[in-house]
């Protein structure tokens, strides 16, 4: 009698069941007993007869084929690589919708995805035909290969996706297009629907009825193109002809819930397992992806300089004023053509005591609080705690508290004073605009990729904020910020970056858009410091239950030292009252193997629960 490992979409490992017939059930949905109830699950593989003498329960019913075998292999890889029970991985797929369709359960109403989004108008946008031809040829060959395309901007990525789809609709198999943000996925979906109806949309904020419609179209082979966010990575496509991932370095590709996967890395592995090509695009590819091109794992296509980019000027940030004299002169000359001024901080400024030098910090998080001058409050941007701005220092009771740093409210106030005689309205920008005349102010984090290049000038105030973020990818992210802003500037425009250290070697790369030397510079320093891609980091996060005490942490650290090679840092307590260990090893595969084995034994520690994050996007505790 054959045995099968079945995964149930709960935080469980696979369970073994027997079945009367000797048939291949991999990928089939089945009904099985679990404790005192009947549940649905997916057959992962055929199993050997259990060595222990026990009563093996039987599979009660076969519902139907749910997933292709290669997709099951992909889920198994995810479970192993991200050190997560395969039930948690299965729960991240469209299990519920597939079960409804297999069992013929009718929804009240299965709705098509609504098509009410703004289109991408890309008709006159330039595209390198050689790059397009190469991707088409690779897709037609149909073998696995990963290509990294360095694009000049976001609209180039969208144009490349649209034209690729137009040329490959006749291929056998479906095309999967993944974007980091819902609004961009919706716009691309609407654009593609203009010339073909066999397009479906998948993102986590869609109504369940719309998701059910998309999944029905996919499993019945009527969908030729699936567009979506990281959520779409699990689309149950029977055969893939191409996967494309836009803005491959975007932080939104990292899932925060178990399994804590990275959609870009999973897209590459799904392409490898299913034998289809993968195209990664970005205007600031991650250093790790560029490193993979140097190692020959990816093919690199450099299209960045196929279009003209605005000139970048690096100026010294004044100590006594907000704007450098050259910046001021340029704004006065060109304000009618459209100027954007941006700062990394919201609010007016920080508040500092002149007597003790302390900055007012959040009593809950310990982070510096943002001062809002108009309503006289201070706010923590992490936890949202708000209180009345103190008149005395909270640390020494000093009364000389003054603003430090530059926020968008302070910039707006300064510009209103400078241009008061010209009757210019200083407007705050928080959404896409078409008429850019005048002066606009925006917090840098709210300046989104994908806005049209409408400004003559952009001014980046207090840029050093980005250079002091404690993260090994600080420079890469700072470069990406500059490129995001440059996309809002017309070809004949200029971008001014104000910094207190204009001689910093980093600015030489930015000024000339010198990516090649920047990546080599960055890789050299990461290798010396032992950071990715030359090592692997894993966060092990321990939650201690009320029935236990912190003394168990010492036992866990000793256990880790005896079971995991490499460096172990921690435990450090985080803001959620959890304790974080950081594991690092140059032997990346060995660390995954060892921690998988260790995780099975950690489950026997009483009074704790734990979660694992492989390849964290930042090392912040």
């Amino acid at each position: 009698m054959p045995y099968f490992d079945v995964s149930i979409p709960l935080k469980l490992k696979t369970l073994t069941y027997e079945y009367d017939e000797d048939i291949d059930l991999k990928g089939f949905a089945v009904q099985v007993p679990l404790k005192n109830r009947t549940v649905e699950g997916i057959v992962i593989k055929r199993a050997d007869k259990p060595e222990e003498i026990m009563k093996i329960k039987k599979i009660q019913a076969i519902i139907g084929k749910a997933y292709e075998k290669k997709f099951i292999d992909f889920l198994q890889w995810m479970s192993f690589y991200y050190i997560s029970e395969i039930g948690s991985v299965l729960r991240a797929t469209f299990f519920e919708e597939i079960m409804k369709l297999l069992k013929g359960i009718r929804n009240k109403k299965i709705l098509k995805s609504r098509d009410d989004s703004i289109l991408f108008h890309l008709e006159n946008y330039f595209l390198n035909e050689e790059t397009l031809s190469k991707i088409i040829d690779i897709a037609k060959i149909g073998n696995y290969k990963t290509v990294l395309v360095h694009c000049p901007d976001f609209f180039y990525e969208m144009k490349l996706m649209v034209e690729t789809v137009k040329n490959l609709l006749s291929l056998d198999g479906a095309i999967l297009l993944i974007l980091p943000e819902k609004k961009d996925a919706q716009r691309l979906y609407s654009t593609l629907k203009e010339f073909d109806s066999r397009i479906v949309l998948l993102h986590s904020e869609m109504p369940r009825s719309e998701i059910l419609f998309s999944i029905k179209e996919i499993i019945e082979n009527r969908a030729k193109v699936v567009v979506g966010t990281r959520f779409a990575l699990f689309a149950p496509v029977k055969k893939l002809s191409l996967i494309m991932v836009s803005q491959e370095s975007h932080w939104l590709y990292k899932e925060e819930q178990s399994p804590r996967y990275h959609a870009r890395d999973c897209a590459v592995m799904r392409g490898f397992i299913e034998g289809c090509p993968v195209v990664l695009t970005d205007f600031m590819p991650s250093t790790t992806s560029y490193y993979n091109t140097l190692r020959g794992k990816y093919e690199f296509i450099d299209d960045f300089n196929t279009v003209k980019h605005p000139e970048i000027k690096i100026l010294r940030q004044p100590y006594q004023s907000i704007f450098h004299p050259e910046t001021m002169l340029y704004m006065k000359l060109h304000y009618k053509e459209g100027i954007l001024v941006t700062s990394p901080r919201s609010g007016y400024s920080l508040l500092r005591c002149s007597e003790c030098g302390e900055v007012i910090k959040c009593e809950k998080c310990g982070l510096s609080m943002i001062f809002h001058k108009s309503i006289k409050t201070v706010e923590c941007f992490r936890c949202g705690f708000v209180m009345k701005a103190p008149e005395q220092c909270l640390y020494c009771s000093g009364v000389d508290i003054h603003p430090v740093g530059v926020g968008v409210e302070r910039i707006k106030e300064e510009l209103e004073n400078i241009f008061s005689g010209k009757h210019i309205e200083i407007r705050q920008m928080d959404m896409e605009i078409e008429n850019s005349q005048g002066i606009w102010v925006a917090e840098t984090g709210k300046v989104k990729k994908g806005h049209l290049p409408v400004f003559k000038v952009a001014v980046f105030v207090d840029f050093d904020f980005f250079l002091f973020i404690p993260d090994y990818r600080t420079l890469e992210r700072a470069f990406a910020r500059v490129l995001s802003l440059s996309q809002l500037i017309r070809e004949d425009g200029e971008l001014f970056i104000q910094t207190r250290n204009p001689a910093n070697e980093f600015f030489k790369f930015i000024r000339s858009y010198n990516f090649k030397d920047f990546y080599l510079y960055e890789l050299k320093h990461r290798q010396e410091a032992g950071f990715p891609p030359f090592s692997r980091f894993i966060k092990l996060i321990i939650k201690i239950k009320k029935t236990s005490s912190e003394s168990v942490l010492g036992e866990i650290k000793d256990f880790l030292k005896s079971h995991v090679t490499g460096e172990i840092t921690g435990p450090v307590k985080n803001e959620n009252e959890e304790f974080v260990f950081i594991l690092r090893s140059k032997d990346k595969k060995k660390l995954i193997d060892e921690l998988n084995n260790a995780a099975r034994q950690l489950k026997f520690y009483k009074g704790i629960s734990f979660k694992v994050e492989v390849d964290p996007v930042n090392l912040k505790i």
Side-chain angles (χ1 to χ4, degrees):
M1 185 173 288
Y3 297 88
F4 297 93
D5 284 343
V6 176
S7 176
I8 296 158
L10 299 170
K11 195 176 179 181
L12 295 172
K13 63 180 182 179
T14 56
L15 302 173
T16 303
Y17 294 88
E18 62 181 10
Y19 190 60
D20 295 331
E21 295 182 52
D22 190 2
I23 56 176
D24 186 0
L25 290 178
K26 184 175 179 178
F28 277 74
V30 294
Q31 287 183 334
V32 293
L34 180 66
K35 294 185 177 178
N36 298 320
R37 59 195 176 112
T38 299
V39 297
E40 284 123 18
I42 300 294
V43 177
I44 299 300
K45 64 178 181 179
R46 185 170 180 143
D48 296 327
K49 184 177 180 179
E51 294 179 2
E52 299 177 30
I53 300 173
M54 61 176 72
K55 185 176 180 181
I56 303 295
K57 295 181 179 180
K58 289 188 176 183
I59 292 173
Q60 294 180 345
I62 297 174
I63 301 171
K65 187 168 184 180
Y67 299 111
E68 297 299 310
K69 291 180 181 179
K70 288 182 178 179
F71 187 75
I72 296 296
D73 293 339
F74 170 62
L75 299 185
Q76 286 182 284
W77 171 82
M78 281 191 67
S79 173
F80 177 78
Y81 185 84
Y82 291 105
I83 313 175
S84 177
E85 294 86 354
I86 196 162
S88 296
V89 178
L90 185 61
R91 192 167 54 188
T93 69
F94 300 97
F95 181 84
E96 182 183 331
E97 286 76 18
I98 291 172
M99 289 304 103
K100 281 184 178 181
L101 294 169
L102 286 177
K103 293 191 290 186
I105 297 174
R106 292 183 175 273
N107 235 29
K108 291 180 181 178
K109 192 175 182 181
I110 299 180
L111 299 174
K112 291 185 180 181
S113 300
R114 286 170 293 178
D115 190 8
D116 54 1
S117 181
I118 303 169
L119 305 182
F120 285 120
H121 297 292
L122 306 167
E123 296 81 7
N124 300 319
Y125 202 83
F126 169 80
L127 184 66
N128 186 349
E129 293 297 329
E130 289 184 17
T131 299
L132 178 62
S133 296
K134 182 173 283 190
I135 291 172
I136 291 168
D137 290 343
I138 290 169
K140 286 181 177 178
I141 292 170
N143 297 327
Y144 165 74
K145 183 175 191 175
T146 297
V147 179
L148 176 64
V149 184
H150 187 184
C151 299
D153 55 38
F154 172 74
F155 286 107
Y156 191 96
E157 294 183 70
M158 296 301 98
K159 178 80 169 182
L160 186 60
M161 281 189 164
V162 169
E163 294 303 316
T164 299
V165 167
K166 284 182 178 178
N167 283 275
L168 294 177
L169 279 170
S170 60
L171 281 186
D172 181 26
I175 300 169
L176 177 57
L177 306 178
I178 302 175
L179 298 91
E181 297 189 62
K182 179 197 75 172
K183 67 177 182 64
D184 293 330
Q186 178 72 54
R187 289 183 71 177
L188 182 60
Y189 165 77
S190 300
T191 304
L192 293 171
K193 287 285 282 187
E194 288 287 294
F195 62 84
D196 199 287
S197 61
R198 297 170 295 170
I199 319 289
V200 296
L201 180 67
L202 281 175
H203 62 75
S204 58
E205 294 181 30
M206 290 168 60
R208 301 309 299 186
S209 58
E210 292 183 17
I211 293 174
L212 186 61
F213 172 81
S214 293
I215 297 302
K216 189 172 189 292
E217 294 293 289
I218 291 168
I219 65 175
E220 293 179 0
N221 280 333
R222 286 195 293 270
K224 289 295 294 181
V225 182
V226 180
V227 182
T229 57
R230 65 173 185 238
F231 191 63
L233 176 69
F234 301 104
V237 175
K238 287 185 171 58
K239 182 180 179 182
L240 279 167
S241 59
L242 178 68
I243 301 173
M244 296 186 77
V245 181
S246 169
Q247 300 168 66
E248 61 90 23
S249 66
H250 204 290
W251 64 274
L252 281 174
Y253 283 133
K254 184 67 173 179
E255 172 61 73
E256 295 301 315
Q257 302 299 319
S258 182
R260 292 167 175 78
Y261 65 90
H262 196 294
R264 175 203 60 211
D265 299 339
C266 289
V268 171
M269 182 52 69
R270 186 171 181 186
F272 173 76
I273 290 171
E274 301 207 20
C276 82
V278 180
V279 177
L280 310 177
T281 66
D282 209 331
F283 53 80
M284 182 68 203
S286 65
T287 302
T288 298
S289 291
Y290 185 78
Y291 177 68
N292 284 332
T293 69
L294 297 179
R295 295 176 63 205
K297 290 180 69 176
Y298 301 168
E299 180 178 341
F300 186 57
I301 299 176
D302 189 358
D303 280 351
F304 186 81
N305 290 317
T306 52
V307 303
K308 189 175 182 293
H309 298 278
E311 183 181 351
I312 296 176
K313 289 187 176 180
I314 311 298
L315 302 173
R316 184 175 295 278
Q317 176 73 47
Y319 281 91
Q320 301 301 323
S321 61
I322 295 176
F323 300 109
H324 187 278
E326 186 175 345
T327 302
M328 185 70 68
L329 176 62
Y330 212 90
M331 287 196 295
K332 288 180 177 179
L333 290 174
H334 296 283
Y335 69 87
K336 290 183 180 178
E337 299 173 75
I339 294 174
L340 173 64
V341 184
T342 182
S343 167
R345 288 191 177 93
S346 61
Y348 188 84
S349 65
L350 307 178
L351 288 179
R352 174 179 287 162
C353 174
S354 297
E355 296 181 32
C356 70
E358 286 287 343
V359 172
I360 302 300
K361 294 178 181 176
C362 176
E363 61 186 42
K364 296 181 178 180
C365 299
L367 294 181
S368 301
M369 299 185 79
I370 300 296
F371 173 48
H372 296 281
K373 184 179 179 182
S374 59
I375 54 177
K376 293 183 171 54
T377 62
V378 286
E379 178 185 11
C380 176
F381 70 88
R382 177 188 281 179
C383 72
F385 175 67
V386 179
M387 68 179 190
K388 185 179 178 182
E391 295 180 0
Q392 289 185 315
C393 176
L394 303 177
Y395 311 103
C396 74
S397 299
V399 294
D400 186 9
I401 299 176
H402 63 279
V404 292
V406 181
V408 291
E409 290 177 12
R410 191 173 185 182
I411 289 173
K412 192 168 183 289
E413 180 184 88
E414 179 76 6
L415 289 170
E416 285 169 347
N417 292 332
I418 294 168
F419 291 94
S420 59
K422 296 183 181 293
H423 305 291
I424 299 170
E425 183 183 359
I426 312 299
R427 290 166 288 187
Q428 200 150 329
M429 172 185 166
D430 57 5
M431 63 187 69
E432 192 164 332
I433 61 171
E434 294 181 4
N435 179 14
S436 63
Q437 290 183 350
I439 301 177
W440 298 76
V441 179
E443 184 186 345
T444 309
K446 293 182 178 179
V447 178
K448 300 294 185 182
K449 310 171 190 177
H451 288 180
L452 295 171
V454 291
F455 294 102
K456 171 70 174 177
V457 184
V459 181
F460 219 135
V461 176
D462 199 19
F463 185 79
D464 297 333
F465 175 92
F466 294 111
L467 301 182
F468 294 106
I469 296 172
D471 181 45
Y472 71 92
R473 296 179 306 148
T474 290
L475 296 185
E476 177 187 310
R477 288 178 165 182
F479 208 150
R481 291 281 188 183
V482 173
L483 295 177
S484 281
L485 196 57
S486 73
Q487 293 180 35
L488 297 175
I489 307 168
R490 300 194 296 270
E491 286 184 5
D492 61 342
E494 293 191 59
L495 170 59
F496 293 93
I497 296 176
Q498 295 188 175
T499 170
R500 299 200 190 281
N501 187 17
N504 189 318
E505 188 174 7
F506 172 64
F507 291 113
K508 291 193 298 187
F509 305 128
I510 286 182
R511 187 185 293 112
S512 57
Y513 297 99
N514 185 349
F515 294 95
K516 181 179 178 182
D517 287 345
F518 167 73
Y519 285 126
L520 295 177
Y521 170 88
E522 183 73 350
L523 286 167
K524 177 177 179 290
H525 286 83
R526 289 195 193 183
Q527 186 171 24
E528 290 172 353
F531 285 124
F534 301 99
S535 63
R536 166 152 290 131
F537 281 87
I538 298 178
K539 281 185 182 179
L540 176 63
I541 305 160
I542 307 288
K543 182 78 171 180
I544 298 177
K545 299 176 182 177
K546 292 180 180 178
T547 54
S548 188
S549 68
E550 293 183 14
S551 61
V552 73
L553 294 169
E555 297 177 39
I556 292 173
K557 187 161 188 175
D558 290 340
F559 168 78
L560 290 173
K561 285 181 177 179
S562 63
H563 287 76
V564 177
T565 55
E567 179 185 334
I568 300 171
T569 305
V572 177
K573 196 173 187 178
N574 67 14
E575 62 188 32
N576 297 319
E577 301 296 313
E578 300 167 323
F579 294 88
V580 182
F581 290 93
I582 294 181
L583 290 69
R584 171 165 64 175
S585 175
K586 291 183 179 179
D587 193 334
K588 294 180 274 188
K589 186 179 182 302
K590 188 176 181 181
L591 182 59
I592 295 283
D593 290 339
E594 291 176 338
L595 197 54
N596 263 296
N597 293 327
R600 296 189 196 103
Q601 298 180 56
L602 276 174
K603 292 174 184 176
F604 296 107
Y605 276 78
K606 293 181 180 179
I608 70 159
S609 61
F610 68 91
K611 51 191 177 184
V612 179
E613 184 177 0
V614 178
D615 302 332
V617 293
N618 66 65
L619 298 178
K620 186 176 178 182
I621 301 300

